[in-house]
Amino acid sequence: MSPTAPDKPSLHGLEHKWAERWEADGTYRFDRTATRDRVYAIDTPPPTVSGSLHIGHIFSYTHTDTIARYQRMRGREVFYPMGWDDNGLATERRVQNYFGVRCDPSLPYDPDFVTPDSRKASDRPVPVSRPNFVELCNRLTASDEKTFEAVWRFLGLSVDWTMTYATIDERSQRASQRGFLRLLARGLVYQSEAPTLWDVDFQTAVAQAELEDREQPAAYHRLRFLGPDGIPVEIDTTRPELLPACVALVAHPDDERYQPLFGTTVTTPLFGAPVPVKAHRLADPEKGTGIAMICTFGDVTDVIWWRELTLPTRIVVERDGRMRDTHPPHDFWAHGADRVWDELRGRTLKQARTRIVELLRESGELVGEPQAITHSVKFYEKGNRPLEIVTSRQWFIRTLGHTDEFLARGNELSWHPPYMQARYESWVRGLNSDWLVSRQRFFGVPLPLWYPIGEDGAVDHDRPLYPQEARLPVDPSTDLPDGYNESQRDRPGGFTGDPDILDTWATSSLTPQIAGGWEDDPNLFARVFPMDLRPQAYDIIRTWLFSTVVRSHFEHGSVPWHHAALSGFVLDPDRKKMSKSKGNVVTPLPLLEEYGADAVRHWAASGRPGVDTAVDPGQLKVGRRLTIKVLNASKFVLSRVGEPIGPGTKAAGPAGVTEPLDRAMLARLADLVDDATTAFDGYDYARALERTEAFFWAFCDDYVELVKSRAYGSRGDEGAASADRALAMALSTILRLFAPFLPYVSDEVWSWWQQGSVHRAPWPESAALRVAAVDGDPLVLDVAAATLGGIRKAKTTAHVSMRAEVAHLVVRDTAPRLAALAGAAADVGEAGRVTKMVTEDAEAFSVDVALGEPS
RNA sequence: GGGCGCUUAGCUCAGCUGGCAAGAGCACCGCCCUUACAAGGCGGCGGUCGGGGGUUCGAGUCCCUCAGCGCCCACCA
């Protein structure tokens, strides 16, 4: 059988051809009979299904795929599933915009509902029931997932596509609810009625991990309170509209200015409410006037003060971000304060602020004019308005008090790059609240709980009812707690389902368990858990990585995986962070189509682990050129090779390579294999690629040129055979080294002369190459290449063709290097078209090139 | 306020445990239709490796310090 390289090799259509072949052959199918020690398990990040893939996905997933392919070639059975993160707010938001609907849980299910069509952006959203809304979510995510899968396949991810999951599917819901109930049974999860950060647009509580600070314009308003002896006490506030919720003033215990006031009572402006003056260490004497008003609740410090100073609660802000429209219990407001309140009630906070400032100004209790400042305010990372603090009943997983355990688990992990561990540790050390997992949303895993309703109609939250694990997953809005029937739902003496869902992270923190078949498939789980690798981008260390460690620690008493590989971010060509609002998001499909998947992968894989990398058309062209070069160089090599040469064939034997230059190249190649292997074992795919690529170009430019004429037979069969065998060994090795990065072109070329897929071929081993190289000295190749370079330079300088004859060549160099050159003198002579070559001992390398026909 | 990373040719970046007479690609300039490759090949120009100090026979590479950029965490009346 002889190799069959096409006359005109092309990249066109390779993706389609090979994606189909791999699927048909099950090239990446996981063999679940493999024992744990042979398995390499990857906890693939389930991308958020929200319309279209981002170039950042391509970047990070390519990194993972190179490692997956490397491990597979090293003989590991790679467990490489794909998940879709479709539950949660991102999907809800997309569904609202896409279909023009709004979820109203109070509506009954409408089985005949059809989505509104031909609507305009200005149209009001159509209210739909929760079940209808969830149906729409399922419909849209199903189609989005198809689109995503198509892009992943185009990119050439070596995922086992028979192993997919979605974070909203039944398996995930079961795992999520089971995990929750087990924590509940162990007291690691609890509910609490407490002030929590609240997004007034999404109308849900928000966890610490989902916060971000944003700089916002604001203004200090100086308000005059009335002290015990009629002496004014002035405070600065950015939230004057919260004055009716003021429950105390606070200053630092050591602040001599205010020490006389501690324990006394002052009166609030406008409302005339008597409030105590308290001392607390968190009060900052440098801020404002050094004494602050405590409101329920303006910010998290208010909550701390309120709790630690046991202050009363006076709520004026509603969950929708407006002033409440009723009279709050105002037993301590002064007579007449109702008239002030009537000016504020029901208004938005912004309107209320404007109005109260006017009122304060009129009453003379605003001191001076507001001073504009800029300060940072907490936002929900997906939100548009500052978070408020609202008291509500929520469920929490206990994370406080476990800091040392979490840090210890962090130490058990190998971090790539290592400095990423610092981000994890600073997050763990900074935890200041338990993990809030309940959300007041609709599309997600329901909390698997019901509550009894007393004969008096009061819901008894303290005695939740929960299902046996065998019943999971349950939807408490339609399923029944044991011992009840449907007629008792929401009735006195009956029960009510918990209306909330679990936060996305409460489910995706279990991806190793979900993908690995925890409890559902113990046989599989034992083979893959704890997994080997968690690949992800560094921005979600505090969410996904941390929460997965927490769940695994609590549930299994182990780390969820042994390695964490953190990818950087993709920046736009101007090195700015990409965001939808800036409109600089790069979508991957056009790049894949223009440059080819291998070139896009080449760009991605050239981004160092953890390092932000810009989209660079130049780099994409480099990748494109490389893949074309692989095709052409391979075609040349195979035109010299009479039969397949690889492990087990005759040319693999050491006897085949006799020429010093060929041996030198193989020795260099062996070093390369060691380099690339070491790099990959350290998760440095970029280094492996860079080394391979550098070798390959030098191989083409120097070695191939040097042996070309000998390979054509200029010096007899033996010299040609040596070259052919070395070329074939090199090609086989190079293709396998490139395979993790350029899966399409490498398998294409592999198929020209080898059996099976290169992606199931063994990773090259340097030992075999060293045997073939015998005593090969890399110096031979170095000096030969340098000499050839000198000849080329002379010809270029003389503006003559590379085919021009060299009448007389003098090579000067040190004795050892000249000795090395002697072994390749004939090759150099033929490649440079040198008629007569002489050497002279010298301190340093130089050449004299006399062009022209031999005299 | 605490921490991490980065700062090397015009641009994007390699240079891992100190030995480099400082590298690659892109861009730029020039040459070459050479039978693997002209959507190519070959060659050239270009940097006092952010500043300053130190250790060393020797520092882009280690230590100290300063500066700029980016990010993480904490705090925010």
Side-chain angles (χ1 to χ4, degrees):
Chain A
M1 187 185 72
S2 59
T4 52
D7 286 344
K8 192 76 183 163
S10 155
L11 296 175
H12 185 72
L14 283 191
E15 289 92 350
H16 186 69
K17 168 182 169 184
W18 285 100
E20 240 174 37
R21 178 101 36 111
W22 294 333
E23 177 63 29
D25 294 351
T27 306
Y28 310 123
R29 205 60 39 87
F30 174 67
D31 174 6
R32 60 168 296 158
T33 65
T35 51
R36 181 66 190 85
D37 58 306
R38 280 199 53 227
V39 168
Y40 186 86
I42 300 172
D43 183 20
T44 318
T48 301
V49 180
S50 60
S52 60
L53 279 169
H54 186 271
I55 190 72
H57 289 113
I58 299 295
F59 187 63
S60 172
Y61 282 73
T62 296
H63 300 163
T64 309
D65 191 59
T66 63
I67 290 163
R69 288 178 181 277
Y70 166 71
Q71 293 291 349
R72 195 178 288 111
M73 293 175 77
R74 287 299 297 268
R76 308 284 289 273
E77 256 322 297
V78 176
F79 181 76
Y80 191 8
M82 178 59 74
W84 311 113
D85 190 15
D86 43 15
N87 100 50
L89 206 43
T91 297
E92 288 191 20
R93 198 158 50 166
R94 176 159 154 74
V95 164
Q96 286 168 11
N97 296 335
Y98 190 89
F99 293 113
V101 297
R102 170 176 67 81
C103 182
D104 182 346
S106 68
L107 295 174
Y109 179 63
D110 175 2
D112 302 320
F113 175 78
V114 287
T115 52
D117 48 29
S118 72
R119 49 182 298 282
K120 298 187 288 279
S122 54
D123 290 350
R124 281 259 179 83
V126 177
V128 299
S129 77
R130 177 173 174 156
N132 285 111
F133 187 73
V134 169
E135 276 181 11
L136 292 177
C137 290
N138 282 321
R139 196 208 294 181
L140 192 60
T141 53
S143 79
D144 282 349
E145 283 158 20
K146 283 209 185 77
T147 311
F148 273 41
E149 181 173 333
V151 175
W152 286 149
R153 284 180 183 270
F154 196 158
L155 182 65
L157 295 189
S158 60
V159 158
D160 181 347
W161 288 104
T162 65
M163 299 189 304
T164 59
Y165 65 90
T167 55
I168 197 65
D169 70 18
E170 189 178 306
R171 194 157 45 120
S172 296
Q173 298 216 18
R174 185 160 54 242
S176 182
Q177 293 187 335
R178 183 196 302 128
F180 177 86
L181 290 176
R182 289 197 181 179
L183 292 175
L184 179 63
R186 292 167 59 196
L188 286 166
V189 78
Y190 68 95
Q191 60 182 324
S192 161
E193 175 103 16
T196 49
L197 288 160
W198 183 271
D199 188 286
V200 297
D201 292 313
F202 291 112
Q203 301 257 332
T204 182
V206 173
Q208 185 189 353
E210 298 170 293
L211 305 181
E212 69 182 29
D213 291 341
R214 293 186 203 161
E215 290 290 317
Q216 294 286 305
Y220 273 135
H221 302 74
R222 181 156 296 186
L223 309 190
R224 180 175 296 141
F225 284 57
L226 211 53
D229 303 318
I231 301 164
V233 180
E234 294 179 355
I235 63 103
D236 278 336
T237 179
T238 55
R239 304 285 307 267
E241 71 278 15
L242 294 180
L243 178 62
C246 177
V247 292
L249 297 189
V250 66
H252 195 274
D254 300 336
D255 193 332
E256 293 177 1
R257 293 171 298 176
Y258 298 109
Q259 280 171 348
L261 286 174
F262 294 150
T264 68
T265 297
V266 298
T267 311
T268 65
L270 292 181
F271 294 89
V275 295
V277 180
K278 299 281 189 177
H280 194 278
R281 67 195 147 74
L282 286 183
D284 182 357
E286 304 293 317
K287 276 255 161 69
T289 60
I291 186 165
M293 74 171 179
I294 303 174
C295 304
T296 53
F297 299 93
D299 61 33
V300 286
T301 318
D302 277 345
V303 178
I304 295 168
W305 282 327
W306 168 80
R307 186 184 299 130
E308 297 189 4
L309 301 172
T310 53
L311 297 165
T313 312
R314 180 160 304 274
I315 300 299
V316 298
V317 178
E318 290 285 358
R319 296 185 175 196
D320 61 0
R322 287 172 175 267
M323 302 298 278
R324 63 191 295 173
D325 202 14
T326 56
H327 284 272
H330 54 281
D331 44 298
F332 63 43
W333 283 355
H335 200 66
D338 281 4
R339 284 204 310 280
V340 180
W341 177 246
D342 283 339
E343 298 276 345
L344 306 176
R345 54 187 275 187
R347 295 188 184 232
T348 66
L349 292 172
K350 208 174 161 188
Q351 292 166 341
R353 182 177 308 169
T354 306
R355 185 65 190 130
I356 201 168
V357 167
E358 289 166 3
L359 294 170
L360 285 161
R361 191 176 280 129
E362 286 164 18
S363 74
E365 288 161 311
L366 179 70
V367 181
E369 281 303 302
Q371 301 296 310
I373 57 157
T374 302
H375 67 162
S376 67
V377 179
K378 288 193 189 311
F379 279 71
Y380 175 39
E381 59 190 359
K382 296 186 173 69
N384 296 319
R385 283 201 279 172
L387 292 170
E388 294 298 331
I389 291 174
V390 158
T391 298
S392 57
R393 191 184 57 81
Q394 303 289 348
W395 284 90
F396 297 84
I397 292 176
R398 290 187 198 282
T399 51
L400 297 179
H402 298 275
T403 301
D404 290 343
E405 297 158 45
F406 298 154
L407 291 175
R409 292 296 178 207
N411 283 331
E412 286 179 54
L413 290 176
S414 295
W415 298 78
H416 310 285
Y419 60 76
M420 288 296 178
Q421 189 177 357
R423 289 180 183 235
Y424 172 83
E425 293 191 342
S426 67
W427 173 253
V428 170
R429 291 204 169 92
L431 286 173
N432 58 29
S433 64
D434 284 328
W435 174 12
L436 192 162
V437 292
S438 49
R439 293 291 185 281
Q440 292 65 57
R441 299 296 309 176
F442 316 108
F443 189 57
V445 178
L447 280 142
L449 300 171
W450 303 265
Y451 306 98
I453 299 180
E455 295 302 333
D456 60 354
V459 175
D460 184 359
H461 286 114
D462 294 337
R463 293 189 300 122
L465 306 164
Y466 47 86
Q468 297 298 306
E469 282 190 5
R471 288 186 58 197
L472 300 177
V474 297
D475 180 351
S477 72
T478 52
D479 296 323
L480 297 173
D482 290 338
Y484 289 85
N485 59 57
E486 188 59 37
S487 67
Q488 294 172 282
R489 184 182 292 277
D490 298 327
R491 291 290 167 82
F495 70 93
T496 187
D498 192 307
D500 290 350
I501 60 169
L502 287 161
D503 171 46
T504 296
W505 297 114
T507 300
S508 57
S509 58
L510 295 169
T511 50
Q513 289 87 341
I514 293 166
W518 176 47
E519 298 291 337
D520 292 350
D521 188 349
N523 181 298
L524 175 65
F525 196 62
R527 292 170 201 274
V528 301
F529 188 90
M531 295 195 170
D532 293 272
L533 175 65
R534 156 59 69 86
Q536 59 167 79
Y538 64 70
D539 61 323
I540 50 176
I541 288 174
R542 69 176 185 174
T543 49
W544 194 38
L545 192 151
F546 169 71
S547 64
T548 311
V549 170
V550 168
R551 300 303 292 275
S552 183
H553 172 68
F554 284 154
E555 186 60 44
H556 308 283
S558 80
V559 287
W561 359 259
H562 303 296
H563 296 269
L566 288 308
S567 290
F569 261 89
V570 176
L571 308 174
D572 76 6
D574 298 325
R575 299 202 59 74
K576 295 280 186 300
K577 197 169 169 176
M578 288 193 275
S579 69
K580 276 186 183 160
S581 58
K582 275 191 237 159
N584 60 349
V585 173
V586 175
T587 54
L589 212 47
L591 295 179
L592 287 166
E593 283 164 353
E594 181 176 355
Y595 297 99
D598 281 342
V600 172
R601 292 172 60 101
H602 174 269
W603 159 76
S606 65
R608 291 353 242 195
V611 175
D612 293 348
T613 303
V615 176
D616 180 357
Q619 198 58 29
L620 287 160
K621 282 186 199 147
V622 170
R624 175 97 182 157
R625 212 164 56 115
L626 173 66
T627 55
I628 293 171
K629 191 79 173 177
V630 169
L631 286 179
N632 286 315
S634 300
K635 180 187 146 192
F636 167 74
V637 169
L638 293 178
S639 73
R640 302 286 80 230
V641 176
E643 61 177 284
I645 294 181
T649 60
K650 74 171 188 189
V657 180
T658 52
E659 287 285 323
L661 184 71
D662 303 337
R663 291 179 168 187
M665 184 276 291
L666 291 177
R668 266 283 138 74
L669 184 59
D671 290 343
L672 168 68
V673 169
D674 286 339
D675 256 11
T677 304
T678 303
F680 258 127
D681 284 339
Y683 291 82
D684 194 347
Y685 50 84
R687 188 184 181 85
L689 172 59
E690 183 193 55
R691 296 303 159 96
T692 302
E693 196 176 345
F695 178 93
F696 175 66
W697 283 104
F699 170 80
C700 291
D701 294 346
D702 298 330
Y703 176 75
V704 169
E705 292 303 323
L706 283 164
V707 299
K708 195 179 270 179
S709 125
R710 171 156 54 85
Y712 276 117
S714 67
R715 284 159 49 214
D717 289 347
E718 187 149 333
S722 177
D724 291 352
R725 288 163 179 159
L727 284 167
M729 259 183 271
L731 181 63
S732 165
T733 304
I734 289 167
L735 288 175
R736 285 178 286 155
L737 293 175
F738 272 139
F741 306 102
L742 314 173
Y744 290 106
V745 75
S746 59
D747 222 8
E748 170 70 12
V749 172
W750 193 255
S751 74
W752 294 345
W753 62 313
Q754 302 279 359
Q755 295 295 312
S757 170
V758 71
H759 303 298
R760 283 286 182 175
W763 185 252
E765 287 184 17
S766 61
L769 292 167
R770 289 192 206 288
V771 169
V774 195
D775 56 352
D777 179 2
L779 196 59
V780 175
L781 181 56
D782 290 351
V783 184
T787 307
L788 181 60
I791 296 168
R792 282 174 179 152
K793 185 170 177 174
K795 290 179 179 176
T796 296
T797 307
H799 292 189
V800 299
S801 159
M802 288 299 141
R803 302 173 74 181
E805 298 284 341
V806 175
H808 191 77
L809 173 69
V810 182
V811 182
R812 295 187 197 83
D813 210 336
T814 59
R817 286 173 58 89
L818 290 179
L821 179 61
D827 290 329
V828 171
E830 288 179 357
R833 300 188 173 241
V834 179
T835 305
K836 182 172 170 53
M837 171 159 77
V838 297
T839 61
E840 291 175 7
D841 277 13
E843 303 256 317
F845 170 80
S846 68
V847 289
D848 277 355
V849 182
L851 295 165
E853 294 299 320
S855 53

